[in-house]
Amino acid sequence: MLKKIIVGIAGDLNTVTMKLGCVLMAWALYLSLGVLWASQMLLAASFETLQCEGPVCTEESSCHVEDDLTDASEAGFQVKGYTFSEPFHLIVSYDWLILQGPAKPVFEGDPLVLRCQAWQDWPLTQVTFYRDGSALGPPGPNREFSIAAVQEADSGHYHCSGIFQSPGPGSPETASVVAITVQELFPAPILRAIPSAEPQAGGPMTLSCQTKLPLQRSAARLLFSFYKNGRTVQSRGVSSEFQIPTASEDHSGSYWCEAATEDNQVWKQSPQLEIRVQGPPGSAPLTLNPAPQKSAAPGTAPEEAPGPLPPLPTPSSEDPGFSSPLGMPDPHLYHQMGLLLKHMQDVRVLLGHLLMELRELSGHRKPGTTKATAE
């Protein structure tokens, strides 16, 4: 009887041992599958090394970060002696195929490089890049797509596709879409005249080409040039102003300016600005000496010379006829009226000479007419 009990207990132990072994094997298989899946995710991220470069500074240290940084845009920001880098966005993906794009904002004139990255960098064929669903070229082995200098029109949704070679899945794969936005480097400049677009002759005038760079590219340098009536009046330079020390009527015309980057990848023109330089406030009337009066013919009574003509009125700022509707003198109308009065003076002088010639001609004809009557 005891022998049967011992045999029964031994059989139960064997059964328990077998069941426990099966459970342990199932858990081992489950854990191995979990480890394999986790390793796949880590490998798909295509190992990245993040490194912070620069001196380590604290409030007690004597190093000066400002002396080691040459570009203000790379300095980041400081808080109580500590210097922090710009934020960096890291995206981890476990897809078979991903499209790697720029991490920083993209501006006009920047180069753009997109890379079609395969899992574990396996070989690809028939790689094609797309923007907004349209292919940017025929399929080929090149995994990179680049634009030397992007424009705002290059903004869009990009993705790539390719076929894995062995040991990949061997089927076409498509990467997720990546949005690329090309930002404006600077707006089109505006040309402004100081003190105004209708300055008085003899005074100074300054033309200013005004635009602005974004904060991220504040360290960039723009070059400016100025044009008048299709001709260059100031070649490209760092100054955004064109100065005229003494304006004259010859400086009137249509002006515009141009702003461009040093590499000339981005350049923009301003709208045209019409400049009208006003003449002097008034011009003195011309006084011409009258022609000497010729003696009358014999036998005729001398005729009186025409007396001096009354002077024409000159424009005055007190005359409401030369003022604007707001009661302020209009320099342009004032100048035009002065020219008109000058022409009227010239016409009067010509009429005086014509009248004297007619009187002289009539004096010569009178003796001949008397002699014919006597005969």
Side-chain angles (χ1 to χ4, degrees):
M1 186 68 177
L2 182 60
K3 187 175 181 181
K4 291 182 179 180
I5 294 174
I6 294 174
V7 172
I9 293 174
D12 293 338
L13 288 176
N14 291 333
T15 303
V16 171
T17 303
M18 291 177 63
K19 290 183 177 180
L20 182 60
C22 292
V23 171
L24 292 177
M25 289 179 63
W27 273 102
L29 180 61
Y30 178 77
L31 291 177
S32 62
L33 291 176
V35 171
L36 180 61
W37 179 79
S39 62
Q40 179 180 357
M41 290 183 60
L42 293 176
L43 290 175
S46 66
F47 297 100
E48 295 288 345
T49 302
L50 304 181
Q51 182 178 0
C52 186
E53 299 180 353
V56 179
C57 296
T58 62
E59 293 182 351
E60 294 79 10
S61 63
S62 59
C63 65
H64 299 282
V65 180
E66 293 81 3
D67 298 336
D68 297 330
L69 295 175
T70 58
D71 191 352
S73 62
E74 299 176 358
F77 57 94
Q78 297 183 1
V79 178
K80 294 183 179 180
Y82 294 91
T83 301
F84 298 86
S85 66
E86 294 291 338
F88 179 82
H89 301 279
L90 179 63
I91 300 176
V92 179
S93 176
Y94 56 90
D95 293 335
W96 286 103
L97 202 61
I98 61 174
L99 181 65
Q100 295 178 340
K104 295 183 178 180
V106 181
F107 289 90
E108 292 177 300
D110 290 349
L112 176 64
V113 178
L114 301 177
R115 189 170 190 271
C116 200
Q117 177 67 33
W119 186 75
Q120 289 191 349
D121 203 21
W122 283 351
L124 289 173
T125 60
Q126 305 296 313
V127 180
T128 308
F129 291 87
Y130 302 86
R131 181 179 65 209
D132 297 331
S134 300
L136 299 176
N142 193 359
R143 298 189 183 189
E144 289 188 355
F145 173 78
S146 61
I147 301 176
V150 295
Q151 303 297 327
E152 288 186 277
D154 295 319
S155 301
H157 294 81
Y158 290 79
H159 74 278
C160 67
S161 65
I163 299 178
F164 277 85
Q165 292 181 343
S166 178
S171 60
E173 297 292 337
T174 301
S176 300
V177 174
V178 176
I180 302 294
T181 302
V182 180
Q183 303 183 30
E184 185 180 47
L185 183 60
F186 60 90
I190 301 296
L191 185 62
R192 302 190 185 278
I194 303 172
S196 70
E198 296 185 355
Q200 287 289 339
M205 181 179 65
T206 301
L207 298 180
S208 177
C209 193
Q210 300 178 1
T211 188
K212 186 178 181 180
L213 288 166
L215 182 61
Q216 298 92 329
R217 298 300 175 88
S218 58
R221 189 171 69 166
L222 296 179
L223 302 179
F224 301 89
S225 52
F226 294 82
Y227 304 88
K228 172 193 172 186
N229 297 334
R231 296 182 295 105
T232 303
V233 294
Q234 180 170 299
S235 300
R236 183 173 296 181
V238 296
S239 177
S240 61
E241 294 184 349
F242 172 61
Q243 297 182 352
I244 301 176
T246 305
S248 64
E249 295 184 6
D250 294 337
H251 291 108
S252 299
S254 182
Y255 290 80
W256 70 91
C257 67
E258 179 183 287
T261 55
E262 290 183 300
D263 56 4
N264 204 31
Q265 293 290 353
V266 183
W267 57 272
K268 299 181 181 180
Q269 290 184 350
S270 70
Q272 295 188 7
L273 177 64
E274 196 70 24
I275 300 295
R276 295 181 180 178
V277 181
Q278 306 300 320
S283 56
L286 297 176
T287 56
L288 300 177
N289 296 327
Q293 183 179 2
K294 297 183 179 179
S295 59
T300 60
E303 298 181 2
E304 296 180 357
L309 297 175
L312 293 173
T314 58
S316 173
S317 60
E318 298 178 357
D319 188 357
F322 298 95
S323 301
S324 62
L326 298 178
M328 300 298 293
D330 189 347
H332 183 67
L333 180 60
Y334 190 80
H335 175 64
Q336 296 295 330
M337 291 301 297
L339 295 178
L340 179 60
L341 293 176
K342 178 180 177 299
H343 292 316
M344 293 176 66
Q345 288 282 1
D346 296 338
V347 172
R348 292 186 60 188
V349 172
L350 292 176
L351 289 175
H353 284 289
L354 181 60
L355 181 59
M356 294 180 65
E357 293 291 338
L358 291 175
R359 289 183 177 179
E360 181 181 359
L361 181 59
S362 63
H364 283 293
R365 294 182 61 183
K366 283 182 180 180
T369 306
T370 306
K371 182 177 180 182
T373 304
E375 292 178 353

